[in-house]
Amino acid sequence: MSKADAMLYAVSLTIVACGGAYVGVPFFKLFCRQFGLGGNPEYARGHNTGKIEQMARVEDRILTVYFTADKHASMKWNFRPQQQSIKVVPGETALAFYTAENPTEEQVIGISTYTIMPYTAAPYFNKIQCFCFEEQILNPHEKVDMPVFFYIDPDFDEDPELEFEDSIVLSYTFFQAKEGMSLSLPGFLSGGKKEAAKPQPAA
Amino acid sequence: MATPAARFTPTPPDKGSFPIDHEGKCKVPMRRYMDCLRRKEYDNNLCRELSKEYLQCRMDNNLMQQEPWQKLGFKDLLTTETGDSR
């Protein structure tokens, strides 16, 4: 191989390598979002439940979680958060409450879903237990407390996209459930619901 | 370079859904916890003992599956207790 050829090969290799570096960043972002950080699939989509025991509080990163409540127009319940916000740090489990009241004369079944804002914070928001996705029945004139037990993953503090985000909004929306209705949540109803370990309440 | 925008996908809670406390058995611990939050400017860190009490009430009344406190993020509160936990 002549020196000119070798030079050409070296230069083109360099260009390919640089191009690869540019492409690599969004590629790995996509890859990690799909398959989990560090290739650990437990961190993707669902959450690693063993993490709670080992996680440490990130003392100096105080976050404010705001709570909002919404309901579909036809939903007859009154539904509101009991606190406007709570101050938490990543790695610390926290409890918050909503209240739901059925002011009507008949039993009403509700089912709720939620969103997290900003979306970039959502993968770090872990609900240990709450009242969402399963049908909840309220008797006439019944008023109940609905807890949300959650934590924010300590890795939140490591995410450069979230460096300046100190507020998270948790928004629940209640819908009235009718016979045979199901919430179409992409990819959800196949998992999770069946695994919910709900103790049978004493009759 | 176009990357797909992050889409929010709701995920199920780790331990499922809390059964509704129809009989209000844990209303008192709930109120105490909320009062604490109000007094402490809604700082979760200062009211964790009371949130633990609320969850204990749920477990005692079959409204929550029994779990060791370490698995619920309360291992630091265990070391300050003497004797058996309630």
Side-chain angles (χ1 to χ4, degrees):
Chain A
M1 190 192 301
S2 70
K3 269 201 174 153
D5 281 341
M7 204 50 203
L8 264 172
Y9 274 118
V11 168
S12 42
L13 204 64
T14 310
I15 293 175
V16 168
C18 287
Y22 273 101
V23 164
V25 172
F27 172 73
F28 273 104
K29 260 192 177 169
L30 208 64
F31 177 83
C32 291
R33 191 179 296 145
Q34 201 61 35
F35 297 110
L37 302 167
N40 184 343
E42 280 179 299
Y43 287 4
R45 299 291 154 178
H47 303 291
N48 183 358
T49 53
K51 187 163 192 178
I52 300 177
E53 258 181 287
Q54 292 132 26
M55 69 184 184
R57 302 179 68 228
V58 182
E59 299 274 350
D60 50 356
R61 187 74 193 272
I62 299 182
L63 304 170
T64 307
V65 180
Y66 292 89
F67 301 90
T68 67
D70 227 330
K71 58 189 177 82
H72 188 260
S74 65
M75 177 37 148
K76 303 188 198 75
W77 287 6
N78 297 328
F79 176 58
R80 61 172 184 84
Q82 289 203 34
Q83 64 290 303
Q84 190 185 50
S85 64
I86 285 186
K87 291 202 260 287
V88 300
V89 297
E92 176 181 83
T93 53
L95 186 63
F97 285 93
Y98 282 78
T99 305
E101 184 182 6
N102 175 6
T104 72
E105 303 292 337
E106 56 207 17
Q107 218 182 45
V108 175
I109 305 174
I111 191 162
S112 67
T113 183
Y114 75 99
T115 47
I116 302 278
M117 294 288 271
Y119 285 179
T120 39
Y124 301 100
F125 190 93
N126 300 276
K127 297 181 315 300
I128 302 171
Q129 203 159 356
C130 64
F131 52 86
C132 42
F133 303 129
E134 296 204 13
E135 288 182 352
Q136 310 284 353
I137 303 176
L138 280 191
N139 296 315
H141 300 288
E142 194 175 12
K143 186 175 180 182
V144 294
D145 311 313
M146 296 182 131
V148 183
F149 189 44
F150 66 94
Y151 68 95
I152 295 173
D153 197 306
D155 291 340
F156 182 99
D157 198 38
E158 314 269 329
D159 191 331
E161 274 187 53
L162 293 163
E163 191 181 343
F164 303 108
E165 295 282 0
D166 289 328
S167 300
I168 297 176
V169 183
L170 171 63
S171 242
Y172 272 99
T173 303
F174 254 105
F175 300 85
Q176 188 157 339
K178 305 232 187 285
E179 219 39 70
M181 172 185 167
S182 64
L183 270 186
S184 57
L185 297 163
F188 164 67
L189 285 177
S190 47
K193 195 170 173 173
K194 295 284 181 287
E195 292 152 11
K198 202 163 62 166
Q200 295 307 313
Chain B
M1 185 159 334
T3 50
R7 247 186 46 224
F8 174 73
T9 312
T11 54
D14 293 343
K15 301 199 194 299
S17 197
F18 277 121
I20 292 191
D21 182 8
H22 286 284
E23 291 160 43
K25 291 189 177 141
C26 296
K27 220 171 181 64
V28 170
M30 185 277 292
R31 288 253 165 83
R32 288 176 61 194
Y33 171 70
M34 292 305 304
D35 283 343
C36 173
L37 280 184
R38 272 177 220 118
R39 284 194 317 267
K40 306 284 185 189
E41 297 184 349
Y42 296 93
D43 189 334
N44 176 59
N45 187 34
L46 302 174
C47 298
R48 289 179 61 244
E49 184 65 57
L50 288 170
S51 67
K52 182 168 168 281
E53 280 184 25
Y54 174 80
L55 296 173
Q56 179 71 61
C57 171
R58 274 206 165 243
M59 288 187 210
D60 292 344
N61 288 286
N62 216 23
L63 293 167
M64 181 177 176
Q65 193 169 28
Q66 299 281 343
E67 291 276 356
W69 292 115
Q70 301 92 307
K71 289 213 154 79
L72 298 173
F74 289 105
K75 68 172 189 271
D76 54 322
L77 293 183
L78 289 177
T79 52
T80 57
E81 279 180 11
T82 53
D84 291 335
S85 58
R86 271 161 293 164

